[in-house]
Amino acid sequence: MGCLIPQCDTERAKSDDERVEALICEYHRRGVQNCTEVSQLLWNEHGIRMSETTVARRHKQYGLQGSGATTKALPLADKRQMVLDQMALDPTS
């Protein structure tokens, strides 16, 4: 449907819009994960209106999560191996 104001060039994002999904995934890849910031970037850079709550829903829908949640979901053996791998890269040890 979009904006009802005459000569308005903004659009509301549809839940199945592949362009919006690509934009949100790109922001996430670049480290922009704050829903308010993503909402503002969508508006400022692409003219797409999306509330912070909807951005949060899209993050969940697309399976995007921060590093803390990713680490928390890993099995203990994987976490230990990651630490050991990083320790092996340390030149001072």
Side-chain angles (χ1 to χ4, degrees):
M1 181 163 135
C3 187
L4 299 176
I5 302 170
Q7 299 175 346
C8 182
D9 61 353
T10 64
E11 60 181 90
R12 287 201 180 271
K14 305 285 188 251
S15 62
D16 62 347
D17 189 337
E18 292 177 11
R19 184 174 133 238
V20 171
E21 180 177 357
L23 290 169
I24 290 175
C25 289
E26 175 62 18
Y27 291 141
H28 188 270
R29 188 191 64 75
R30 291 185 351 210
V32 181
Q33 299 174 11
N34 180 285
C35 295
T36 303
E37 289 180 41
V38 172
S39 177
Q40 290 173 350
L41 286 169
L42 287 170
W43 171 250
N44 293 335
E45 295 180 359
H46 305 282
I48 298 171
R49 294 189 306 171
M50 183 179 286
S51 72
E52 294 87 355
T53 305
T54 302
V55 171
R57 266 190 247 118
R58 296 296 182 267
H59 276 146
K60 192 172 189 175
Q61 178 182 346
Y62 305 148
L64 304 174
Q65 55 187 7
S67 61
T70 302
T71 304
K72 193 173 186 178
L74 283 175
L76 183 59
D78 290 349
K79 292 177 194 178
R80 286 185 176 155
Q81 189 59 53
M82 289 174 72
V83 171
L84 291 172
D85 292 346
Q86 286 302 309
M87 289 175 66
L89 297 174
D90 185 11
T92 61
S93 60

